[in-house]
Amino acid sequence: MNIIENPKQMQQYSLGMKLQGKSVGFVPTMGFLHQGHLSLMEQAKKENDVVVVSIFVNPTQFGEGEDFDIYPRDFQRDRNLVEGVGADVIFYPQVKDMYPDNYKTYVDVNEITDKLCGASRPGHFRGVTTIVSKLFNMVLPDKAYFGLKDAQQVAVIKQMVKDLNFPVEIIPCPIVREEDGLAMSSRNVNLKDNERKAALVLSRSLFDAQGSIGRGEREASKIRTTITEKITSEPLAKIDYVKVVSGDTLEDLDRLSGNVLIALAVKIGKVRLIDNIMLEV
Amino acid sequence: MNIIENPKQMQQYSLGMKLQGKSVGFVPTMGFLHQGHLSLMEQAKKENDVVVVSIFVNPTQFGEGEDFDIYPRDFQRDRNLVEGVGADVIFYPQVKDMYPDNYKTYVDVNEITDKLCGASRPGHFRGVTTIVSKLFNMVLPDKAYFGLKDAQQVAVIKQMVKDLNFPVEIIPCPIVREEDGLAMSSRNVNLKDNERKAALVLSRSLFDAQGSIGRGEREASKIRTTITEKITSEPLAKIDYVKVVSGDTLEDLDRLSGNVLIALAVKIGKVRLIDNIMLEV
């Protein structure tokens, strides 16, 4: 397995693969990999000649006072995991090479970035779309794999790829959960024991909502209320948002129909977690 | 010669060329081609296996009340000229395919877009960087050719390509002038006879400045004043800006040294013209 730190070398590698007619699958990550990331890599491995995994904790997608400094990092651990899956390259650039002095360019997707996590984290998606544009131009993937835990991120990236005509196919992949239901996240490691237990309130409230929709509930406000009450009953949890929206436009729904996304962001102690379910109603 | 209107087909064509190991040279234009454009195509022809010329009057780089509607267009004339140079493809997309309903994504370069033309035309460079990003992702060029009449545009595009890591080399090409010195521009056709004569004040004031720098003048303010007085003496001319700046950063200079850009924007009647000289001092 190759480890490439230099952006130009990464691009040269991918241009070389293209010239050989090889397809490149790409899994962008911020490292501290978990089973969710590994599932993306495994799918990329099945569908491409070559798999590139990037590990880069991207400063521009963290706001003031967010957890950039304490975001977990462990390159040796990540390296072993990526090698275990059989990926071909880890792209592991440094901040100074990705955002050199005199850096000035940003990519913005309007409207759908103002909602959900975009409302709580101004500038977050601008950081995401900018780094993903940069990575796409360096890695030159045919297919890129994103986890649906960040459902809004997937919607934003798909919109950007369509609008800017990137020659990349976006492959959204299902959320991977711990046995007890907690959605896998690199941030879970920052939860203390009692917080880890409290964090189950996210997935449980979503599964409850799924159950009530299965029994015929179609009023978005009722679903929101039920989820909100359940989360509020957990003393360690503080709601950022509970949203019932169209999975296509991310617009609030009154009545559930079509592609429905129920998305949560909840702070458990100091750790902000997100989770969601998507369903066809 | 191929004429391709569909963005997906354009991308497929270029991906095909890449797979064959062929280099692609790209000349983006808004059509109504003149000798300046043709010089870009000729250079592209020398340096690449395949040359793609795009013709698209890009609405997002025109502001309210600017000349989008009266921007000159003549596809048959352009087609013959491009064929004459021996380019391989004209990419001639429609607005509805480039900016479909629900379009939301823009590329912004900060700081250097606030000056010169960016100050007079808010949003202009955002339109330029967005369309150029889109075109790069469709045409997938190895090299792209831009005329130095739009010196700020060249600086902005170079910054964007560096920041977003586009795998494209930007080739700036010299201004091409009419015999009497007027810089070639598609907009020149909108000048009436007396305006055409008055328009010479742009190039003449620049050549005068070049002369005085040759004779040792190094004070930017003196050069600005001389140019301003000369242009003001032409009754049909109305100055938008006269700038003496660093060719690298576009920051105002006090004393001339290094890479110097002297740039003008002047309205002659209703036609806004730009011109510049770059020199190493």
Side-chain angles (χ1 to χ4, degrees), chain A residues 11 18-19 21 102-112 126 130 133-134 137-138 140 159-160 163-167, chain B residues 11 18-19 21 102-112 126 130 133-134 137-138 140 159-160 163-167:
Chain A
Q11 200 172 51
K18 298 275 164 185
L19 271 178
N102 204 32
Y103 186 91
K104 298 185 200 299
T105 307
Y106 295 90
V107 178
D108 269 305
V109 176
N110 295 333
E111 294 171 43
I112 54 170
R126 164 180 250 223
T130 299
S133 293
K134 287 171 63 64
N137 283 337
M138 287 182 257
L140 305 169
Q159 179 81 39
M160 177 188 82
D163 285 351
L164 293 186
N165 311 91
F166 277 102
Chain B
Q11 201 171 51
K18 298 275 162 181
L19 271 178
N102 204 31
Y103 187 91
K104 298 184 200 298
T105 308
Y106 295 90
V107 178
D108 270 305
V109 176
N110 294 335
E111 295 172 41
I112 55 169
R126 165 181 248 221
T130 299
S133 293
K134 287 172 63 67
N137 283 339
M138 286 181 258
L140 305 169
Q159 180 81 41
M160 176 188 82
D163 286 350
L164 293 186
N165 312 89
F166 277 102

Side-chain angles (χ1 to χ4, degrees), chain B residues 133-153:
Chain B
S133 293
K134 287 172 63 67
L135 289 167
F136 282 0
N137 283 339
M138 286 181 258
V139 176
L140 305 169
D142 296 274
K143 292 183 170 138
Y145 298 78
F146 291 86
L148 278 166
K149 182 164 72 66
D150 300 284
Q152 186 177 14
Q153 175 172 278

Side-chain angles (χ1 to χ4, degrees), chain B residues 38-62:
Chain B
L38 300 183
S39 73
L40 304 177
M41 295 174 205
E42 281 155 9
Q43 190 166 341
K45 185 94 185 130
K46 278 186 211 144
E47 299 178 351
N48 301 276
D49 299 323
V50 166
V51 173
V52 176
V53 176
S54 67
I55 297 180
F56 181 64
V57 184
N58 172 38
T60 64
Q61 72 191 71
F62 290 82

Side-chain angles (χ1 to χ4, degrees), chain A residues 40-193:
Chain A
L40 304 176
M41 296 174 204
E42 280 154 11
Q43 190 166 343
K45 185 91 185 135
K46 278 185 211 147
E47 300 178 350
N48 301 274
D49 298 323
V50 166
V51 173
V52 177
V53 177
S54 67
I55 297 180
F56 181 64
V57 184
N58 173 38
T60 63
Q61 72 192 69
F62 290 81
E64 284 286 327
E66 287 187 2
D67 57 351
F68 177 71
D69 291 331
I70 59 158
Y71 197 88
R73 293 158 168 95
D74 187 340
F75 182 69
Q76 288 314 321
R77 179 179 166 283
D78 288 343
R79 175 190 181 146
N80 293 334
L81 288 168
V82 176
E83 193 141 36
V85 178
D88 301 274
V89 176
I90 296 180
F91 179 42
Y92 184 54
Q94 296 183 43
V95 172
K96 71 174 174 54
D97 294 326
M98 295 297 265
Y99 299 107
D101 286 351
N102 204 32
Y103 186 91
K104 298 185 200 299
T105 307
Y106 295 90
V107 178
D108 269 305
V109 176
N110 295 333
E111 294 171 43
I112 54 170
T113 55
D114 300 338
K115 310 171 204 295
L116 310 183
C117 286
S120 326
R121 305 183 67 188
H124 167 66
F125 283 113
R126 164 180 250 223
V128 170
T129 45
T130 299
I131 192 66
V132 171
S133 293
K134 287 171 63 64
L135 289 168
F136 281 179
N137 283 337
M138 287 182 257
V139 177
L140 305 169
D142 297 272
K143 293 183 170 137
Y145 298 79
F146 290 85
L148 278 167
K149 182 165 72 69
D150 300 284
Q152 186 177 14
Q153 175 172 277
V154 170
V156 170
I157 298 289
K158 280 171 109 173
Q159 179 81 39
M160 177 188 82
V161 164
K162 177 168 161 273
D163 285 351
L164 293 186
N165 311 91
F166 277 102
V168 180
E169 187 183 349
I170 300 302
I171 315 280
C173 300
I175 296 176
V176 177
R177 299 181 179 279
E178 305 283 356
E179 265 187 39
D180 61 5
L182 182 68
M184 299 238 181
S185 165
S186 305
R187 288 182 170 97
N188 290 348
V189 75
N190 288 336
L191 293 167
K192 293 170 196 144
D193 281 353

